């Protein structure tokens, strides 16, 4: 296969060079290929000498010949391929090919040029939009195998990361197709579909709006309750990115009882730790968005005693990452108008949780591997404690 590629590329180089000579594009016939193909200005004799070093002991010359042998990422351009092809060819054969081409008539050469141009076009890498369209077509094809659908979704997962590509997904009809896959009987297809939607709308208000209008949120919320933990995690990830900093999305989330879904996850400490982390992060984001939009009425879930308790209880987790996320959520909740400090004290035992965490962090500070993290977490814990006591003092103050 390598020999075929070399012969094809060498023939391409020689034919294109000869065509340039015949058409008068190059003045110096002896360096025609250099003028047309190599911007470095190397002539044919340079390349031939590199293909056949004069001195077998000359390691630098040999390095030029072999410098592409270990490449595993392909060639950056057609020019690079032509360099490589000529450098790996027999100089005698090169001269013979050149002589054969020179004997071609102008019409024959033009015909060969067109044939080669078509082949080169076929060798070009398709654009991201074309790759996305191919993946969408595979998903939209009812005869596509399960493996083809999985591969198409995996390709979209990578392709939608750039903002422009994510914006193009709906224009290509891809969003509706991916949302349809949320109902697929295979749980891995559903998981990948949710993941693609989450990636596409992350920090992208336009795509958030499109997905919401296509009715995906209710499906994703139901998927969070899946018996497959991997599907549930990706569905919750998609929900979180879909409603983050998006007013209409959050209103629809509450209308679909999304807060009850969060409470159900948070109140069960036996849930997968990844699901708990994501759920409490969503609570923190919702409370933070509320703080940034104080004119908007606060959701009833923020004064739901059992909802608040499910968040505070996570501060007792042995997982430090979950503890930190729970603390951030509690900090944001404490700053809301409708959150009652007395509820956090009497029902949720927040003061006891904070003191227990303080002692735990003191022990961690004595361990070199955890010291820096424990210091940062203690700073956050102290901020939460300060806000809590200030709010508690205000709530307990009797008006005169």
């Amino acid at each position: 296969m390598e020999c075929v590629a070399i012969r094809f590329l060498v023939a391409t180089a020689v034919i294109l060079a000869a065509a340039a000579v015949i058409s008068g594009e190059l003045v110096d016939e002896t360096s025609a290929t250099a003028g047309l193909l190599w911007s470095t200005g190397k002539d044919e004799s340079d390349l031939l000498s590199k293909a056949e070093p004069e001195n077998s002991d000359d390691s630098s010359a040999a390095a030029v010949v072999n410098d592409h042998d270990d490449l595993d990422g392909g060639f950056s351009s057609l020019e690079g391929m032509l360099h490589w092809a000529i450098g790996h060819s027999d100089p005698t054969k090169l001269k013979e090919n050149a002589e054969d081409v020179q004997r071609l008539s102008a019409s024959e050469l033009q015909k060969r040029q067109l044939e080669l141009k078509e082949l080169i076009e076929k060798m070009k890498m398709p654009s991201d939009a074309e790759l996305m369209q191919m993946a969408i077509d595979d998903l939209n094809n009812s005869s596509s195998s399960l493996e083809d659908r999985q591969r198409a979704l995996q390709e979209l997962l990578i392709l939608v990361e750039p903002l422009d590509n994510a914006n193009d997904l709906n224009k290509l009809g891809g969003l509706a197709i991916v949302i349809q896959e949320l109902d697929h009987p295979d749980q891995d297809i559903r998981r990948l579909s949710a993941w693609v939607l989450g990636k596409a709308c992350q920090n992208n208000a336009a795509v958030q709006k499109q997905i919401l209008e296509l009715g995906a949120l209710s499906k994703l919320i139901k998927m969070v309750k899946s018996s497959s933990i991997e599907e549930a995690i990706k569905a919750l990830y998609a929900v979180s990115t879909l409603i983050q900093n998006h007013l209409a999305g959050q209103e629809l989330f509450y209308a679909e009882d999304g807060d009850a879904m969060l409470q159900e996850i948070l109140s069960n400490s036996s849930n997968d730790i990844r699901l708990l982390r994501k759920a409490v992060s969503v609570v923190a984001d919702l409370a933070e968005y509320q703080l940034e939009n104080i004119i908007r009425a606060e959701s009833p879930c923020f004064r739901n005693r059992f909802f608040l308790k499910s968040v505070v209880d996570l501060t007792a987790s042995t997982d430090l990452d979950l503890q930190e996320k729970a603390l951030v959520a509690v900090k944001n909740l404490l700053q809301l108008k409708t959150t009652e400090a007395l509820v956090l004290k009497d029902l949720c035992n927040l003061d006891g949780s904070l003191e227990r965490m303080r002692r735990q962090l003191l022990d961690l500070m004595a361990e070199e591997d955890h010291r820096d993290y424990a210091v940062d977490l203690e700073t956050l814990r102290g901020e939460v404690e300060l806000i809590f006591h200030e709010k508690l003092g205000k709530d307990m103050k009797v008006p005169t």
Side-chain angles (χ1 to χ4, degrees):
M1 185 66 183
E2 183 179 287
C3 292
V4 173
I6 292 174
R7 286 199 296 271
F8 169 72
L9 291 169
V10 170
T12 301
V14 173
I15 289 173
L16 290 177
V21 173
I22 292 173
S23 62
E25 292 178 10
L26 297 173
V27 177
D28 185 356
E29 292 185 8
T30 62
S31 61
T33 54
L36 180 62
L37 297 173
W38 301 289
S39 60
T40 56
K42 290 179 171 58
D43 61 24
E44 186 180 85
S45 61
D46 290 333
L47 289 166
L48 296 181
S49 65
K50 288 176 182 177
E52 188 178 47
E54 293 179 3
N55 188 345
S56 59
D57 295 330
D58 188 348
S59 59
S60 62
V64 175
V65 177
N66 297 321
D67 62 355
H68 292 298
D69 289 349
D70 296 328
L71 292 180
D72 58 4
F75 298 96
S76 60
S77 66
L78 182 59
E79 179 182 327
M81 285 193 290
L82 293 176
H83 269 293
W84 183 86
I86 291 180
H88 285 70
S89 299
D90 183 349
T92 304
K93 291 291 184 183
L94 277 178
K95 291 179 180 179
E96 290 175 359
N97 287 338
E99 291 171 359
D100 290 341
V101 170
Q102 288 175 354
R103 286 193 289 269
L104 291 175
S105 66
S107 59
E108 289 174 326
L109 190 58
Q110 187 176 19
K111 181 181 177 181
R112 293 291 299 275
Q113 273 186 285
L114 291 173
E115 291 173 353
L116 285 168
K117 184 177 180 181
E118 290 176 3
L119 286 172
I120 291 171
E121 286 297 322
K122 290 179 182 178
M123 291 170 62
K124 286 184 178 178
M125 183 68 181
S127 66
D128 282 2
E130 290 170 333
L131 291 171
M132 289 169 65
Q133 187 64 67
M134 286 188 280
I136 292 166
D137 290 343
D138 282 343
L139 292 174
N140 201 31
N141 185 351
S142 59
S143 63
S144 292
S145 66
L146 189 63
E147 291 75 15
D148 286 341
R149 291 182 179 279
Q150 289 173 336
R151 184 173 58 252
L153 288 167
Q154 288 165 349
E155 290 170 357
L156 285 177
L157 189 61
I158 297 171
L159 288 166
V160 300
E161 285 198 32
L163 188 65
D164 290 341
N165 288 356
N167 290 334
D168 287 341
L169 187 58
N170 193 49
K171 297 175 186 176
L172 297 171
L175 279 182
I177 300 297
V178 174
I179 290 172
Q180 284 179 8
E181 295 299 293
L182 295 177
D183 296 320
H184 197 279
D186 182 77
Q187 66 182 31
D188 199 45
I189 294 293
R190 297 194 301 268
R191 176 187 67 85
L192 286 168
S193 300
W195 199 357
V196 169
L197 293 175
K199 283 276 188 182
C201 71
Q202 191 163 21
N203 301 317
N204 191 325
V207 179
Q208 284 177 311
K209 183 175 183 292
Q210 292 164 356
I211 295 176
L212 289 168
E213 289 175 347
L214 289 169
L217 183 59
S218 60
K219 293 184 179 183
L220 291 167
I221 289 176
K222 290 176 183 176
M223 284 173 60
V224 175
K225 302 175 184 179
S226 170
S227 58
S228 164
I229 188 60
E230 299 303 328
E231 179 182 345
I233 289 170
K234 289 300 184 250
L236 185 54
Y237 161 73
V239 169
S240 69
T241 59
L242 189 52
I243 66 174
Q244 188 173 34
N245 299 322
H246 197 283
L247 178 58
Q250 292 184 17
E251 289 176 345
L252 185 57
F253 173 79
Y254 292 126
E256 296 283 349
D257 291 329
D259 52 332
M261 176 265 291
L262 289 176
Q263 184 179 336
E264 185 178 343
I265 295 172
L266 297 172
S267 59
N268 185 355
S269 59
S270 64
N271 274 324
D272 188 283
I273 197 72
R274 296 169 294 168
L275 195 62
L276 289 170
R277 288 173 189 158
K278 177 51 67 177
V280 78
S281 293
V282 174
V283 174
D285 288 343
L286 290 170
E288 183 179 16
Y289 187 78
Q290 181 64 64
L291 289 171
E292 295 170 353
N293 297 270
I294 56 176
I295 300 177
R296 173 191 170 205
E298 294 182 4
S299 169
C301 73
F302 295 139
R303 54 179 179 272
N304 181 314
R305 298 183 175 196
F306 299 105
F307 182 87
L308 294 173
K309 187 175 188 306
S310 66
V311 176
V312 173
D313 286 348
L314 293 180
T315 60
S317 171
T318 56
D319 182 83
L320 292 176
D321 190 25
L322 180 56
Q323 273 192 337
E324 181 181 11
K325 287 176 168 56
L327 268 180
V328 172
V330 171
K331 180 182 177 181
N332 291 345
L333 290 168
L334 275 169
Q335 298 176 75
L336 296 175
K337 295 178 181 178
T338 56
T339 303
E340 298 178 30
L342 284 173
V343 170
L344 291 169
K345 178 179 183 297
D346 297 334
L347 178 67
C348 305
N349 190 28
L350 179 57
D351 47 357
S353 296
L354 292 173
E355 175 57 26
R356 184 168 53 251
M357 184 180 289
R358 185 187 69 80
R359 293 196 299 268
Q360 178 192 15
L361 292 175
L362 280 176
D363 291 339
L364 284 175
M365 288 179 199
E367 301 176 16
E368 186 175 352
D369 292 343
H370 296 100
R371 184 177 300 131
D372 291 342
Y373 187 81
V375 169
D376 291 341
L377 200 53
E378 169 57 24
T379 300
L380 175 60
R381 190 208 65 82
E383 292 173 0
V384 172
E385 189 172 51
L386 180 61
I387 296 170
F388 172 53
H389 287 154
E390 287 179 351
K391 189 176 183 71
L392 188 62
K394 291 178 182 177
D395 287 359
M396 294 180 67
K397 187 176 180 180
V398 180
T400 57

